[in-house]
Amino acid sequence: MMQGRNGPTRPDDSPDQEPGGPAGDVYEWFQRGVKLLKDGSPAAAAAILARAADAEPDSRSIREALARAQFNSRRYADAADSFRWIVAANPTEDYAYFGLGMSLWRTGDMEAAHEPLTIAVAMRPDLRDYVSALKQVRATLRAREA
């Protein structure tokens, strides 16, 4: 929800809201986007979460949901940009490094994927998904060198 001088404001109460935009406030957009993502509609989720991110550009939770929706709708370059934003805003977010590495991997840039996956594994060596992804990227890089 956006904070105005006198407390939370609602974009739908604003006279300059875009016609045809989603109804409700930013929190409702976020909730709808997360539900769409959970229900298997990542492209629709990405569309509404992008609106939420535009309205609340500093929200890491909105950005993470947007990045996941972009990734799941195979918009890997967009997902990488969103995960990069999270990493820049909070360099201790292991999941953002993992998401960035996975997104770069899916774009085919194994060299770029290696570093964020290495950082994610260094931060959370107990997570098998992180370790497995890093091993696969390293194996691909070795195979390319051979």
Side-chain angles (χ1 to χ4, degrees):
M1 194 171 280
M2 293 188 289
Q3 290 291 327
R5 193 165 223 184
N6 298 318
T9 60
R10 296 175 55 102
D12 56 336
D13 293 339
S14 173
D16 58 355
Q17 181 185 6
E18 289 182 42
D25 61 21
V26 176
Y27 182 74
E28 290 167 330
W29 299 347
F30 172 71
Q31 291 296 324
R32 252 184 285 154
V34 169
K35 182 168 181 3
L36 285 165
L37 184 59
K38 181 181 173 191
D39 291 345
S41 298
I48 197 164
L49 290 166
R51 288 266 189 159
D54 286 344
E56 287 288 334
D58 296 330
S59 172
R60 286 196 308 261
S61 57
I62 291 173
R63 292 282 183 154
E64 182 182 313
L66 173 59
R68 289 182 15 240
Q70 290 166 329
F71 185 90
N72 289 348
S73 59
R74 298 181 177 168
R75 293 174 38 203
Y76 301 121
D78 292 335
D81 289 342
S82 293
F83 281 121
R84 262 191 212 97
W85 184 94
I86 298 166
V87 165
N90 187 2
T92 62
E93 280 290 332
D94 62 279
Y95 181 76
Y97 283 104
F98 176 68
L100 175 57
M102 294 298 293
S103 299
L104 292 168
W105 179 6
R106 294 295 192 263
T107 66
D109 192 347
M110 294 295 179
E111 291 81 11
H114 185 259
E115 182 179 347
L117 288 173
T118 300
I119 293 169
V121 169
M123 295 171 90
R124 294 294 307 270
D126 57 312
L127 295 181
R128 281 190 280 169
D129 289 341
Y130 291 15
V131 174
S132 175
L134 179 58
K135 285 180 179 178
Q136 290 178 53
V137 166
R138 284 181 174 166
T140 301
L141 289 171
R142 279 193 304 272
R144 286 182 179 174
E145 288 175 3

